[in-house]
Amino acid sequence: MLEEIYQEVVNKDPDQPEFHQAVREVLESLEPVLDKHPEYRRYKIVERVVEPDRVLMFRVPWTTDDGEIQVNRGFRVEFNNAIGPYKGGLRFHPSVNLGILKFLGFEQVFKNALTGLPIGGGKGGSDFDPKGKSDHEVMRFCQSFMSELFRHIGPNTDIPAGDIGVGGREIGYLFGMYKKLVNEWAGVLTGKGLSYGGSLVRPEATGYGSVYFAQEMLKTRNETLEGKTCLVSGSGNVAQFTTEKLLDLGGKVVTLSDSSGFIYDEEGIDRDKLAFVMDLKNIQRGRIKEYVEKYSSAQYTEWNAFDKPTDYDPKWDVKADCAFPSATQNEINEKDAQNLVNNGVYVVSEGANMPTVPAGVEVFLQEKILYGPGKAANAGGVATSGLEMAQNAAFSSWTRKEVDSRLHEIMVNIHAMAADAAEQYGQPGNYVLGANAAGFRKVAEAIIAQGVV
Ligand code: NDP
């Protein structure tokens, strides 16, 4: 039955492979859940959750500094609001298309359910590439993007946030335009600056959360992160704060990457080196290879993610204990997963969304390593966005300690929920099954309660 539903998803939109992959991964976990809850089949919950509530697609015209007109495509996928208003990031990257945003929106529905907060799932973005653009060009693009999006979002309707290519700068420009068009200050975006309604620890939250999740997984074996060698991919928001939290907890991070290649620093990336990376990436908007010009302890290996020169990615072929993929989807293939295991990695906590292909996930499950799928491990970002919404709604702001301790508590709960569900459905330690089952059940109950709408 689930195979039939999957085939229908593929037949309806054959050109959306990432969405098919995300749907298949969830459906493969659901058989035992549906067997225990026949009402989910009767109410056609699976058929209903694979179809987004609404898909918006629009033209985004803007002008370069030279006055040349450019046209990009904007999207918002409002996937499911059974348990709360749509919530999920905006991605600005040339690879963005409807299939990728549907995969991200679909994942977001279950991830948000796992946080325990009343938030539904959505995702949006554009094929605009902020790389190499001036601040003014980025601003004009964001203003044009918002001049359409503002009609569809609102603090109780749909609350976007950042994702790849959308950080504090972009959120600021988007928020400014929303406020001007609607003539109302409303907490309609999260990831805002601290001076205008942002929450402390929101920038750190996804990376910190993914490390807290790894910490919880290690606890099941009476271990900690102290002294562990860690691989981190990416060098953006999630990678930077994953590295920071690993340093806090005594870990040693030896790699970072971008889409052109990766650096390996066998002495470890300490706080000074991390500060250099943050300045390089967030202010100078440079490339990770510049790291080796400053630090001779590191080597740089060029490996172009868009024109893959080998059938395995050398950044996963490094001796370590833990891996924190924090760049993008499908960055670990089957061979990479095997290389990780062969190199001693037994903890994988996914800061990125769906960074491991299904055959790679299978390797991790068969080898019985501690594998935290993105849906659970990176939920700290959206959870803290939920905390930003709560602070905005109450016209208050919480201390750093308070937000961080709530984030920590949420990650501990997500781990416990996923672990319990895995156990309940007969596969202890399988966090993929656990996260999918726990997230799905919460959404399913809400859909049933609300009737056929
Ligand atoms: P950023 O834009 O800050 O950083 C992305 C990093 O990944 C950059 O180093 C970038 O390199 C690299 N990257 C992007 N695309 C590719 C590619 N195709 N191949 C190789 N490297 C690539 O994004 P975030 O850190 O915010 O997001 C990273 C991941 O975490 C994404 O999967 C996102 O969906 C996920 N995530 C983010 C959350 C958040 O709160 N920000 C919340 C939950 C999940 P380059 O500069 O060369 O493009």
Side-chain angles (χ1 to χ4, degrees), residues 173-335:
Y173 294 148
L174 290 163
F175 184 75
M177 193 62 181
Y178 177 87
K179 191 169 58 64
K180 183 179 172 83
L181 290 167
V182 178
N183 189 26
E184 181 179 284
W185 195 109
V188 72
L189 289 157
T190 56
K192 299 186 290 297
L194 284 179
S195 61
Y196 62 97
S199 172
L200 285 160
V201 193
R202 175 59 190 92
E204 293 90 335
T206 307
Y208 279 20
S210 143
V211 177
Y212 292 149
F213 197 86
Q215 207 181 16
E216 288 308 297
M217 292 196 292
L218 277 163
K219 259 193 207 160
T220 65
R221 298 191 184 177
N222 295 320
E223 289 187 50
T224 69
L225 283 159
E226 179 78 39
K228 299 277 190 298
T229 300
C230 304
L231 311 178
V232 176
S233 70
S235 48
N237 171 272
V238 180
Q240 292 170 14
F241 290 107
T242 295
T243 304
E244 183 168 285
K245 186 48 75 178
L246 284 169
L247 286 172
D248 291 347
L249 297 176
K252 178 181 175 188
V253 176
V254 292
T255 60
L256 284 172
S257 69
D258 59 23
S259 55
S260 314
F262 77 103
I263 56 115
Y264 171 67
D265 186 341
E266 66 171 347
E267 288 179 4
I269 297 162
D270 61 19
R271 285 185 201 278
D272 286 346
K273 293 170 177 175
L274 177 60
F276 169 79
V277 171
M278 287 183 170
D279 180 71
L280 174 71
K281 284 290 170 181
N282 308 343
I283 313 288
Q284 316 298 333
R285 300 192 186 270
R287 307 302 294 160
I288 198 67
K289 73 172 171 212
E290 292 165 53
Y291 183 100
V292 296
E293 289 158 21
K294 173 112 174 134
Y295 299 109
S296 58
S297 54
Q299 299 149 20
Y300 174 71
T301 305
E302 184 113 356
W303 197 83
N304 187 323
F306 299 102
D307 178 23
K308 300 182 168 70
T310 50
D311 67 349
Y312 73 99
D313 183 339
K315 70 173 174 276
W316 303 124
D317 197 10
V318 175
K319 284 236 160 313
D321 306 300
C322 313
F324 293 84
S326 310
T328 192
Q329 66 273 4
N330 294 337
E331 53 166 332
I332 298 178
N333 67 19
E334 184 177 5
K335 203 161 174 179

Side-chain angles (χ1 to χ4, degrees), residues 53-54 78-86 109 119-121 156-157 450:
D53 290 355
R54 191 173 302 107
E78 296 184 331
F79 219 107
N80 191 296
N81 66 355
I83 64 172
Y86 306 107
V109 174
I119 38 183
N156 298 310
T157 313
Q450 293 168 24

Side-chain angles (χ1 to χ4, degrees), residues 115-132:
T115 65
L117 302 171
I119 38 183
K123 200 84 188 186
S126 172
D127 57 2
F128 172 74
D129 187 359
K131 244 180 264 151

